Amino acid sequence: MTELPPPTAKKLGLVIDLDTCVGCQACATNCKQWNAGGHLAPLPDMKPYSAGAEGVWFNRVHSYEAGEGAEGRTVHFPRSCLHCETPACVTVCPTGASYKRAEDGIVLVNTDTCIGCGLCAWACPYGARELDEDEGVMKKCTLCVDRIYNETIPEAQRQPACVITCPVGARHFGDLGDPESAVSQLVASRGGFDLMPEMGYAPTNKYLPPRRPMAPNPNPPAEAEPTTLDIKHPLMRWLDRALSR
């Protein structure tokens, strides 16, 4: 079985805002696009235009209805590898193909030594492992390791593909091992939480909870009457002036 490296100070990961995510699937789409030629490429599609979108997807977005009545809302829940501090997917791997990097905490798969036994998928409670049936190996989110350290692209672009493409800024990337980092401050201020903390795997990625909906204003401001200049059609503007005398 594979041993874990000692805990390191640097813990790269994601913070996902469930209050902001609109379920547009841009993160999943750009993740697929980037990784189709990246670290664990290619990513196969068996039925790319079917309702199930079969194939290998490192990032998936699920939508749920939560609450009832005035408290009800739709919650969009992005799901990918959480790059746990003590990942069971690594410790069960019989060949050492699943491993955790000591320098930044990213969990990866070495496809050269993976035998596709599926033990890592069975051990992961988050469903983050994907079997590439074409190659017979397991694959997963890499935090775009081939992008975040790529010095040939502008520094501002050295973020995971899912983060850089999110149109509403619901995804954030940084060092969650540094309490002064922007992502750590965001988690502290918004009450960020671990997914399934009772499992004891200490995921690096955090989720920000949805905010409570704002109560309606009991005394909404009265709408101002339209002025003549607000009426665009010339005939209707003349008629308004005539009737207002």
Side-chain angles (χ1 to χ4, degrees):
M1 300 302 173
T2 309
E3 294 185 1
L4 295 172
T8 56
K10 189 175 184 180
K11 295 176 174 56
L12 295 183
L14 301 174
V15 175
I16 300 172
D17 192 343
L18 298 180
D19 185 69
T20 307
C21 178
V22 295
C24 67
Q25 304 286 336
C27 56
T29 302
N30 202 33
C31 169
K32 183 82 165 184
Q33 174 67 24
W34 175 262
N35 286 291
H39 184 76
L40 288 180
L43 302 187
D45 283 313
M46 273 70 81
K47 298 178 181 178
Y49 303 109
S50 69
E54 297 179 30
V56 175
W57 293 78
F58 293 165
N59 192 61
R60 297 176 184 266
V61 183
H62 307 279
S63 297
Y64 304 94
E65 295 300 322
E68 297 181 358
E71 296 293 322
R73 65 180 296 166
T74 301
V75 177
H76 304 289
F77 180 77
R79 174 178 63 84
S80 63
C81 175
L82 302 177
H83 300 277
C84 301
E85 182 67 33
T86 56
C89 61
V90 170
T91 55
V92 302
C93 181
T95 66
S98 290
Y99 65 100
K100 184 177 179 67
R101 286 162 51 112
E103 59 267 39
D104 52 22
I106 297 177
V107 178
L108 296 175
V109 178
N110 182 350
T111 55
D112 291 335
T113 54
C114 177
I115 59 176
C117 65
L119 282 174
C120 58
W122 297 335
C124 175
Y126 308 113
R129 293 292 176 126
E130 299 269 333
L131 174 63
D132 184 336
E133 296 184 9
D134 288 346
E135 297 186 28
V137 297
M138 304 302 295
K139 295 183 176 181
K140 59 176 289 299
C141 163
T142 67
L143 274 183
C144 291
V145 67
D146 52 343
R147 181 185 182 103
I148 61 177
Y149 290 111
N150 189 344
E151 296 184 358
T152 66
I153 62 177
E155 186 173 357
Q157 298 290 319
R158 296 175 202 166
Q159 300 184 64
C162 62
V163 174
I164 207 71
T165 199
C166 180
V168 295
R171 303 175 74 92
H172 309 268
F173 170 70
D175 183 3
L176 285 148
D178 177 7
E180 301 301 320
S181 69
V183 285
S184 294
Q185 293 293 321
L186 188 59
V187 170
S189 64
R190 286 281 309 280
F193 61 91
D194 290 350
L195 186 62
M196 299 168 64
E198 68 277 7
M199 301 298 295
Y201 298 130
T204 297
N205 289 7
K206 310 297 180 188
Y207 287 90
L208 304 181
R211 297 180 177 92
R212 294 182 62 84
M214 295 179 62
N217 188 347
N219 300 303
E223 293 187 9
E225 293 292 330
T227 66
T228 301
L229 293 177
D230 292 326
I231 303 174
K232 304 301 182 184
H233 195 283
L235 178 60
M236 298 304 294
R237 191 161 55 242
W238 172 85
L239 183 60
D240 178 76
R241 286 199 303 268
L243 296 176
S244 299
R245 292 174 182 171

